[in-house]
Structure formats: structure tokens, C-alpha cells
């Protein structure tokens, strides 16, 4: 049996408030625990979006009642900068949506980017959903205002090479990559979709084999693994206007451990990019008496019907993986064991309180 520290997923869409038919704090954190994730950072593009003290209270009250693992909530960068930033709020950081996304928080006006970079407290991180040229622009902002920026879900070779160049020049930039961008290409969309193209739609989009190879070739530049767990129901994904996004928090660890078994990753890299680096970049506390026990020799097939997410599907349906989570201990108590969630709703703690 392999014993690992509890993983941190710094990019999870809980969907509460407003869209609990997709997911909520209960099901998202249950899914996290089943996947060996003991802390999540929740994204702000809910309905309503989390952009001020009032909407933050909505999310945190739901989390207080329902969350089974530890958590923090991001604030969204809105069009009214002062309302977003004052007074300082107990949040994971500021999320800036600068490219095509799901929800109402996209910022197209670059002067707003500047105001957020100038005024957001330097003690809290800024995370940017930015792709290609907008990513280049936000890295420039980090250089101009001399503050760190974390780039979410990179997927392209050009992004990878730009981040490497920025780091080599001392610019304070970190980045994450998602399992679906490491393990899937756009050529996999027909197999994911089963005749329903919406099931293969995600932001950033699945890329080419050359892009995926560039991610693997530059693992030393990638700071974190994060899932961008973005649940939508099958009916929504198969509908006329399918929303982009894949669920992923529960399949993160088995996919990574399978890559370890295949010699593509090391266990040290998994721990560094799923625990140590997220903790450092986001100033997250250590979780005492917290660990994950994995049967590293267990081989099994990923099946949506066995997952805890409310959305009811996975792009990795039918994948053969090696490494099954058997037990999760969170703050000294068994939170998950042999397929059963044992942590009660509300056991999770807000690590920013």
C-alpha cells in the first residue's frame, strides 16, 4: 500500500450557488475525497458570480454546511475594481477571466486588468484564465507591476515556451496543467463524444499531439497539476448549446499514478506538483494527520456510474488505470474508505478563515 499526502486541487468548479443540479459543495468534495484530494480551491464563476462580500458569504455558508474536505473560495475579478478589493476578504485569491469561458466574468477591457494588478493585495495570488496572446499580455502585466501571476490550465506549445522564457528572465509566473490536456488531444473528441460533439468541448480546447508532447517535454516548467473540474450534466453537454467543461477531480490521481507506472512521471513529481507547489504558491497551510492510502497495483476501469460527481459522466470513461484510492484520512479521521464517503457534510474547514 502506497501512502501519499492529501492532494490539493487548486482549480475546482463547485457550481454552488446557482447551479446545484450540476454539482454542489457536498458532491464536489465527496468526489474530491474519493480521488485522494483533501483540499480544493473553488472557482467564482457561479450564479451569481462570487465578486464581493455578499456573494462570497453565499458560497462560504454553503461550504460551511456541506463541504466534506478542506477548501477556500476564489473571488472573481469584476468590472468594479474597488468593490472587488475592499475590504480584504478571506479568499483563496483573485481569478481573472481573460478569454472564452463559462459564466459572466470575462474581462475584455485591458485597463481593468491593470487596475486589478495595481490594487489587489500582494499577499494574495492572482490566477489568470488566459490563452496565447492574452497570456502574453498578462505575463507583461506581472512584469510591469512586479507581482506574481499564476496561469491556469495551459494547453499549447506556444504557451509552454513563453512561460519558460518568462521564468528564465525572472518574471514571477507559475502555471498549472490539467489531466485532460496531458492525456487527451483533439483527435480523441470523437471517442469522448459518442456522436454528441458537446461532450468533447472544453476551455481551453483539446489541442494537437504536438501541443501535448510539448507539455510532457517541459514538465520541469509546469508547477502544478490541477483538474479544472467543470461539471455539467450529460443532458446539457448533449443539448443545442453545450457548455464547455469536463469533470475531473476524482480521476486526477489514478491518471497520474498510471503515468508513473508507465514511466512518464515520477511519484516525486506528482507530490511536488499536486501538494508542495500548490501549498507554496497559494500560501496554503499543511493539513495535520492527513494522508491517502493507495493500492498501487490495483488495475481497474474508470466508470462514471462509480464516481461521486453529480454530473454523471467523465471524458475518461472506459480508461484502464492503475492505482486505486483505498483510504483517505483528513485531520486524523477516516474520510473515505473502500468506496464509501465517511466524512460528514460540514467536516471540511475553510483554510482562509
Amino acid at each position: 500500500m502506497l501512502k501519499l499526502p492529501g492532494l490539493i486541487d487548486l482549480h475546482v468548479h463547485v457550481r454552488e450557488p446557482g447551479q446545484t443540479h450540476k454539482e454542489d459543495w457536498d458532491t464536489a468534495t465527496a468526489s474530491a475525497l474519493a480521488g485522494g484530494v483533501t483540499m480544493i480551491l473553488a472557482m467564482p464563476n457561479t450564479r451569481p458570480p462570487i465578486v464581493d462580500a455578499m456573494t462570497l458569504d453565499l458560497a462560504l455558508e454553503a461550504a460551511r454546511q456541506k463541504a466534506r474536505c478542506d477548501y477556500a473560495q476564489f473571488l472573481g475579478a469584476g468590472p468594479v475594481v474597488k468593490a472587488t478589493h475592499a475590504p480584504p476578504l478571506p479568499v483563496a485569491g483573485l481569478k481573472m477571466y481573460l478569454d472564452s469561458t463559462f459564466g459572466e466574468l470575462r474581462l475584455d477591457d485591458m485597463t481593468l486588468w491593470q487596475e486589478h494588478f495595481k490594487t489587489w493585495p500582494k499577499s494574495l495570488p492572482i490566477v489568470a484564465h488566459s490563452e496565447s496572446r492574452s497570456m502574453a499580455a498578462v505575463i507583461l502585466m506581472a512584469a510591469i507591476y512586479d507581482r506574481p501571476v499564476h496561469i491556469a490550465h495551459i494547453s499549447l506549445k506556444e504557451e509552454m515556451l513563453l512561460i519558460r522564457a518568462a521564468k528564465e528572465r525572472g518574471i514571477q509566473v507559475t502555471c498549472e496543467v490539467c489531466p485532460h490536456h496531458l492525456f487527451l488531444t483533439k483527435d480523441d473528441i470523437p471517442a469522448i463524444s459518442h456522436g454528441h460533439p458537446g461532450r468533447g468541448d472544453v476551455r481551453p480546447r483539446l489541442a494537437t499531439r504536438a501541443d501535448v508532447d510539448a507539455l510532457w517535454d517541459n514538465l520541469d516548467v509546469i508547477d502544478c497539476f490541477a483538474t479544472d473540474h467543470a461539471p455539467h450534466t450529460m443532458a446539457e453537454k448533449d443539448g443545442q448549446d453545450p457548455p464547455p467543461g469536463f469533470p475531473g477531480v476524482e480521476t486526477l490521481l489514478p491518471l497520474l499514478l498510471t503515468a508513473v507506472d508507465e514511466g512518464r512521471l515520477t511519484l516525486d513529481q506528482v507530490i511536488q506538483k499536486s501538494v508542495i507547489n500548490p501549498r507554496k504558491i497559494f500560501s496554503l497551510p499543511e493539513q495535520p494527520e492527513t494522508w491517502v492510502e493507495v493500492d498501487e497495483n490495483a488495475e481497474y476501469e474508470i466508470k462514471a456510474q462509480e464516481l461521486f460527481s453529480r454530473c454523471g459522466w467523465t471524458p475518461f470513461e472506459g480508461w484502464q488505470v492503475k492505482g486505486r484510492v483505498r483510504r483517505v484520512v483528513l485531520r486524523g479521521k477516516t474520510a473515505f474508505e473502500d468506496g464509501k464517503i465517511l466524512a460528514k457534510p460540514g467536516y471540511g474547514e475553510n483554510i482562509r478563515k
Side-chain angles (χ1 to χ4, degrees):
M1 199 71 72
L2 187 65
K3 187 176 180 180
L4 301 173
L7 270 60
I8 299 167
D9 191 346
L10 51 88
H11 197 144
V12 174
H13 296 271
V14 174
R15 303 298 189 213
E16 188 171 16
Q19 297 179 311
T20 55
H21 66 286
K22 304 173 189 277
E23 197 82 286
D24 67 5
W25 280 96
D26 181 352
T27 57
T29 54
S31 192
L33 287 172
V37 174
T38 55
M39 184 188 300
I40 65 168
L41 305 187
M43 289 295 138
N45 57 337
T46 49
R47 291 183 180 173
I50 311 303
V51 294
D52 54 25
M54 183 180 298
T55 49
L56 177 63
D57 283 346
L58 287 176
L60 292 184
E61 179 57 23
R64 187 188 67 79
Q65 294 182 32
K66 297 182 180 181
R68 299 172 186 263
C69 74
D70 293 347
Y71 61 90
Q73 171 69 55
F74 275 98
L75 204 66
V80 183
V81 177
K82 288 182 179 178
T84 301
H85 296 187
L89 296 170
V91 294
L94 182 71
K95 179 69 181 288
M96 299 179 67
Y97 290 90
L98 311 179
D99 256 295
S100 176
T101 188
F102 175 76
E104 308 164 16
L105 286 175
R106 179 170 173 173
L107 294 178
D108 291 318
D109 184 347
M110 202 175 289
T111 63
L112 285 174
W113 305 11
Q114 291 176 277
E115 288 302 310
H116 284 296
F117 265 84
K118 283 193 290 187
T119 59
W120 182 249
K122 286 200 172 184
S123 60
L124 291 170
I126 291 177
V127 176
H129 175 146
S130 56
E131 303 173 37
S132 298
R133 288 161 182 78
S134 68
M135 192 195 79
V138 85
I139 290 175
L140 175 63
M141 295 274 180
I144 290 171
Y145 295 105
D146 189 28
R147 64 167 305 146
V149 66
H150 180 80
I151 308 298
H153 44 47
I154 63 167
S155 62
L156 301 177
K157 179 178 180 178
E158 64 184 38
E159 297 169 349
M160 188 78 267
L161 297 180
L162 181 60
I163 290 172
R164 177 178 284 281
K167 287 188 173 192
E168 289 172 350
R169 284 156 182 78
I171 297 174
Q172 301 175 76
V173 58
T174 55
C175 66
E176 70 192 43
V177 69
C178 302
H180 51 267
H181 291 128
L182 276 178
F183 296 105
L184 298 171
T185 74
K186 65 179 184 179
D187 296 332
D188 293 305
I189 291 175
I192 297 169
S193 298
H194 300 286
H196 300 277
R199 297 188 200 179
D201 195 16
V202 66
R203 295 293 182 278
R205 291 178 171 86
L206 295 180
T208 67
R209 169 53 59 188
D211 290 309
V212 172
D213 289 344
L215 298 181
W216 284 101
D217 290 343
N218 292 273
L219 282 175
D220 60 314
V221 180
I222 295 168
D223 299 279
C224 304
F225 296 135
T227 67
D228 189 14
H229 176 78
H232 302 285
T233 66
M234 188 76 82
E236 290 170 327
K237 295 293 281 183
D238 292 350
Q240 292 298 310
D241 187 20
F246 295 157
V249 68
E250 196 168 339
T251 50
L252 169 66
L253 184 54
L255 289 168
L256 295 178
L257 291 177
T258 303
V260 170
D261 183 67
E262 295 169 348
R264 305 176 74 188
L265 282 175
T266 68
L267 203 54
D268 283 346
Q269 286 175 315
V270 173
I271 295 171
Q272 191 75 38
K273 299 175 192 300
S274 302
V275 183
I276 297 171
N277 288 350
R279 191 183 290 156
K280 178 181 178 182
I281 293 166
F282 290 87
S283 300
L284 304 172
E286 291 193 28
Q287 294 174 290
E289 297 183 82
T290 296
W291 68 85
V292 178
E293 296 173 10
V294 176
D295 181 349
E296 69 271 36
N297 297 313
E299 299 184 38
Y300 65 101
E301 180 181 321
I302 293 175
K303 297 178 181 180
Q305 66 185 24
E306 297 175 357
L307 304 179
F308 285 87
S309 173
R310 182 167 289 150
C311 73
W313 76 285
T314 170
F316 297 105
E317 182 75 35
W319 277 49
Q320 298 294 320
V321 290
K322 189 173 182 179
R324 185 186 286 275
V325 175
R326 292 297 186 190
R327 183 169 178 247
V328 177
V329 177
L330 175 57
R331 285 179 275 109
K333 293 186 178 181
T334 300
F336 172 87
E337 189 166 23
D338 291 332
K340 295 182 179 180
I341 303 294
L342 301 177
K344 301 299 183 185
Y347 181 68
E349 292 186 353
N350 181 358
I351 56 90
R352 286 288 199 247
K353 63 183 180 182

